[in-house]
Amino acid sequence: MFFLEGKFYCKGLLALYLVVKTITRDKLISWVETLNCILDGHVVPLLEKAVEMQSENQKLKDEKIKDQETIISLQNKLVEKKDEEISSMKSTVQTELKSYSSALSQSCKAALAPRKVKAAVKRASDKEDRSRNVVIYGVKEESGEDLNQCIDSILTEIEEKPRIIDCCRIGNVKQDMCRPIKFTVSNHDHVRQILQK
C-alpha cells in the first residue's frame, strides 16, 4: 500500500499510475513536497534523536571506563593493604610462635620433673584405688565380728558376689553409734553394679 495525493495505491497500481504520461511538473513538485514533509516530520527528528543517543551512549561508555579504572585502582590498593596485613600477621605469628615455643619448652621441663611425675602417678593410683571402695552405713557393730562374713551376707542378699580385697570399719569408736564399713572390691565396675541395686 502506498499513499499518494490523498489516495492509497497498491504497488501495481502505482506503477500504472506512474507510467501514465500525464505526470506534470506540478504533480512531481507536490509529490516531492509531500515526501519532504514526511521526512521533515518523522525521519529527521528520528535521526536527531539517534545522534543524541549516540552522544549519550558515548558519554556512558566513557563513564563506564572511568568507573572501571577506579575499581581497578581500588582493587590494587586493597591487594596492597592485604599484603601489608599478611606480612604483619606473619611476623606476629612468628614472634608468638617463638614465645609459645619457649614457654612450652620451659613448662615441659618443669612438668616432667621426677617429683611431679611421681605425684601424678600417685594421685592417679589413689583415685583408682578409691574408685573400688564401697562404704556401708547402719550395720550394727559387735565385738569380735567377722566383717568379711558380714559383707558377704549383705552382698548375697542383693545377688552380687565380687571378690573382696579389704574390709574394715572407719572412724572412731563411739558408744551407741555404728561406724561405717568400708570394703574394697577387685574392680570399679563391681562398685557400679553394687550401687545400682
Side-chain angles (χ1 to χ4, degrees):
M1 292 292 253
F2 186 79
F3 183 76
L4 184 64
E5 292 183 358
K7 298 179 186 175
F8 285 103
Y9 295 97
C10 290
K11 242 182 177 181
L13 290 177
L14 179 63
L16 287 176
Y17 185 70
L18 290 175
V19 171
V20 177
K21 295 185 177 194
T22 60
I23 299 174
T24 64
R25 186 172 181 225
D26 290 336
K27 279 187 179 180
L28 275 176
I29 290 171
S30 169
W31 291 350
V32 169
E33 284 178 352
T34 303
L35 184 61
N36 192 24
C37 285
I38 291 172
L39 289 175
D40 282 345
H42 298 291
V43 175
V44 172
L46 289 175
L47 288 174
E48 289 172 353
K49 267 291 197 209
V51 169
E52 287 177 22
M53 290 178 73
Q54 184 179 5
S55 66
E56 187 80 23
N57 192 14
Q58 187 60 43
K59 285 180 187 177
L60 290 174
K61 284 181 181 178
D62 292 342
E63 287 179 15
K64 182 179 178 183
I65 290 171
K66 286 180 184 177
D67 290 344
Q68 287 175 340
E69 288 172 352
T70 305
I71 289 171
I72 290 171
S73 170
L74 290 173
Q75 286 176 339
N76 288 336
K77 287 180 183 178
L78 181 64
V79 167
E80 289 173 9
K81 193 72 168 168
K82 290 290 183 184
D83 287 343
E84 289 175 10
E85 288 178 7
I86 288 173
S87 64
S88 171
M89 191 180 302
K90 185 178 178 182
S91 65
T92 303
V93 167
Q94 287 175 344
T95 305
E96 293 296 323
L97 191 58
K98 288 177 184 175
S99 300
Y100 179 74
S101 175
S102 64
L104 186 61
S105 64
Q106 291 172 357
S107 66
C108 284
K109 288 177 186 175
L112 295 176
R115 271 187 306 153
K116 290 190 177 186
V117 172
K118 285 181 185 177
V121 170
K122 186 175 185 315
R123 281 194 305 270
S125 65
D126 287 347
K127 186 175 183 179
E128 177 64 26
D129 288 344
R130 284 183 294 203
S131 72
R132 296 182 293 142
N133 291 341
V134 178
V135 178
I136 299 177
Y137 294 88
V139 177
K140 189 172 182 182
E141 190 173 351
E142 299 173 358
S143 60
E145 65 187 346
D146 183 10
L147 288 177
N148 282 332
Q149 179 66 31
C150 180
I151 295 300
D152 276 339
S153 65
I154 292 171
L155 293 176
T156 304
E157 283 182 35
I158 62 170
E159 299 176 352
E160 287 292 329
K161 191 65 178 160
R163 185 169 61 96
I164 298 172
I165 296 173
D166 186 26
C167 184
C168 65
R169 288 209 179 252
I170 53 175
N172 297 327
V173 178
K174 295 182 182 175
Q175 262 186 337
D176 299 331
M177 287 209 49
C178 299
R179 292 184 295 165
I181 300 172
K182 178 183 92 168
F183 65 96
T184 305
V185 294
S186 61
N187 191 330
H188 67 276
D189 289 331
H190 293 297
V191 173
R192 191 177 58 223
Q193 289 174 351
I194 291 168
L195 294 177
Q196 285 178 349
K197 296 195 176 189

